[in-house]
Amino acid sequence: MKKRLLAMLLAGAMCASLAACGGDTSSAGTETGGETGTETSGEGYSIDVILKTTASEYWSYVQAGAEAYETEHPEVTVEVKGASSETAYDEQQNMIETDLNSGAYDAFVIAPLQADLVKTLIAGQTAPIIAVDTDIDAPEVLSFVGTGNEEAAAMGGEAAVEAAKEAGWADDQLTAISISGVQGDSTAEARLAGYQKGVEAAGGTFLADEIQYANAVADQAATSMEAIMQNHPEGVAMILCNNDDMAMAAARAASGNSAYANTIFVGFDGIQSACNAILNGEETMSVAQEAYDMGYKAVEAAVAALNGEELEDFIDSGCSVITADNAQERLDTLKGYLGE
């Protein structure tokens, strides 16, 4: 209800402003790639997109999707930026504070590194705010655009158990350990919950007391994998990772260990490097987010809010499981997003 009221108040304020200035209120209807069929105003909106980072392949797809909206709607300006890494908290905080106070933007799309902190930063803001990839529990946020992380990870956990059975692991050997991202991060925790749900639903055992936190980076994931191998010299059926970079690093770390020759390594994101690794037998599968659609739909939602439209609380950008059977198709699609 608060979100609807905020959007209605904003729309009313915009209309009053246009009437006072004698502005042009004409609209040009343009078909978009999303589901809302948004018609953008000729007013010339400026949308600020602040991502967790721009220094990774996954986030390059989110950026490409956001910028594609601008390409298809030249009356809308989209500015994309992000921190240097997913642990550069102060850097992102400074970006958000600076942009919120600049008066240069009509709406904001934010992928928070620390959702609780961002909740405080945006308190009292009246411009439309859309959360992307990771939700922000704040009344100022009109919609969350992203993956249902728990449900997607559950799908990956179930697929991992079935793959482990096919790889020859006995029913009493179907154990799974997760190498997670940043401890306490809402997205990482949702994926952990989903992996556990999926593994257990399929008859496996999720070792919840042996979770390894590797801050979403590959080198720490490799170190975590070495610790797992030391603790489990007999092997582990499934290693479930918070992203693809971590899954590939874990698989490389275990590549010379015969006890892990049939281990199922699961990543999350479905990026190009993961597709290549799956095709080469270096990673087993990936839970793919539709990052390009995520970026596009987030900007589309911001424009819709500026036009006074009511938004769904959650806009699902979709997901799928990538295996050797469909990795090439996925790879071709991703290359197309980046114009390769």
Side-chain angles (χ1 to χ4, degrees), residues 198-271:
V199 167
E200 293 176 349
T205 300
F206 184 87
L207 302 181
D209 58 347
E210 296 193 38
I211 295 167
Q212 296 276 334
Y213 288 97
N215 292 322
V217 294
D219 58 345
Q220 292 185 39
T223 300
S224 294
M225 189 66 222
E226 290 170 0
I228 291 170
M229 289 188 291
Q230 184 174 357
N231 293 333
H232 294 274
E234 76 284 2
V236 174
M238 294 161 280
I239 301 296
L240 312 176
C241 298
N242 190 67
N243 63 33
D244 285 321
D245 288 339
M246 296 165 69
M248 289 183 284
R252 285 194 296 270
S255 61
N257 190 326
S258 60
Y260 287 80
N262 294 323
T263 294
I264 307 302
F265 289 92
V266 182
F268 205 110
D269 288 338
I271 58 178

Side-chain angles (χ1 to χ4, degrees), residues 73-340:
H73 304 81
E75 68 276 23
V76 176
T77 300
V78 177
E79 183 177 328
V80 182
K81 64 198 69 171
S84 56
S85 75
E86 291 197 34
T87 54
Y89 307 121
D90 291 344
E91 186 180 347
Q92 192 192 54
Q93 178 182 347
N94 290 336
M95 285 180 181
I96 294 172
E97 288 180 319
T98 298
D99 289 3
L100 288 174
N101 295 321
S102 70
Y105 305 101
D106 298 298
F108 299 87
V109 172
I110 302 175
L113 284 174
Q114 295 175 302
D116 288 343
L117 172 63
V118 175
K119 176 180 179 178
T120 301
L121 297 178
I122 65 176
Q125 289 292 324
T126 56
I129 296 176
I130 308 298
V132 65
D133 181 78
T134 299
D135 200 5
I136 307 166
D137 183 17
E140 292 80 7
V141 175
L142 300 183
S143 185
F144 166 49
V145 181
T147 304
N149 282 288
E150 185 171 332
E151 293 75 14
M155 183 170 59
E158 290 186 26
V161 172
E162 295 307 315
K165 291 177 181 178
E166 293 177 8
W169 295 90
D171 288 348
D172 61 351
Q173 297 176 316
L174 295 173
T175 54
I177 294 177
S178 184
I179 302 179
S180 191
V182 178
Q183 188 168 10
D185 174 73
S186 60
T187 297
E189 296 302 321
R191 291 176 186 174
L192 278 174
Y195 277 143
Q196 181 169 0
K197 182 190 297 183
V199 167
E200 293 176 349
T205 300
F206 184 87
L207 302 181
D209 58 347
E210 296 193 38
I211 295 167
Q212 296 276 334
Y213 288 97
N215 292 322
V217 294
D219 58 345
Q220 292 185 39
T223 300
S224 294
M225 189 66 222
E226 290 170 0
I228 291 170
M229 289 188 291
Q230 184 174 357
N231 293 333
H232 294 274
E234 76 284 2
V236 174
M238 294 161 280
I239 301 296
L240 312 176
C241 298
N242 190 67
N243 63 33
D244 285 321
D245 288 339
M246 296 165 69
M248 289 183 284
R252 285 194 296 270
S255 61
N257 190 326
S258 60
Y260 287 80
N262 294 323
T263 294
I264 307 302
F265 289 92
V266 182
F268 205 110
D269 288 338
I271 58 178
Q272 281 192 49
S273 52
C275 293
N276 283 319
I278 290 169
L279 291 170
N280 293 331
E282 299 163 357
E283 180 181 352
T284 314
M285 60 180 63
S286 177
V287 181
Q289 300 192 81
E290 300 304 332
Y292 179 94
D293 291 342
M294 199 181 294
Y296 189 103
K297 288 174 180 285
V299 176
E300 181 181 58
V303 173
L306 286 167
N307 286 337
E309 296 184 28
E310 183 177 333
L311 303 179
E312 296 291 333
D313 289 345
F314 172 53
I315 300 173
D316 193 345
S317 52
C319 65
S320 59
V321 175
I322 305 302
T323 67
D325 293 333
N326 59 359
Q328 185 61 55
E329 180 182 358
R330 171 76 175 179
L331 182 60
D332 294 340
T333 298
L334 294 177
K335 288 181 176 180
Y337 289 153
L338 300 181
E340 297 180 8

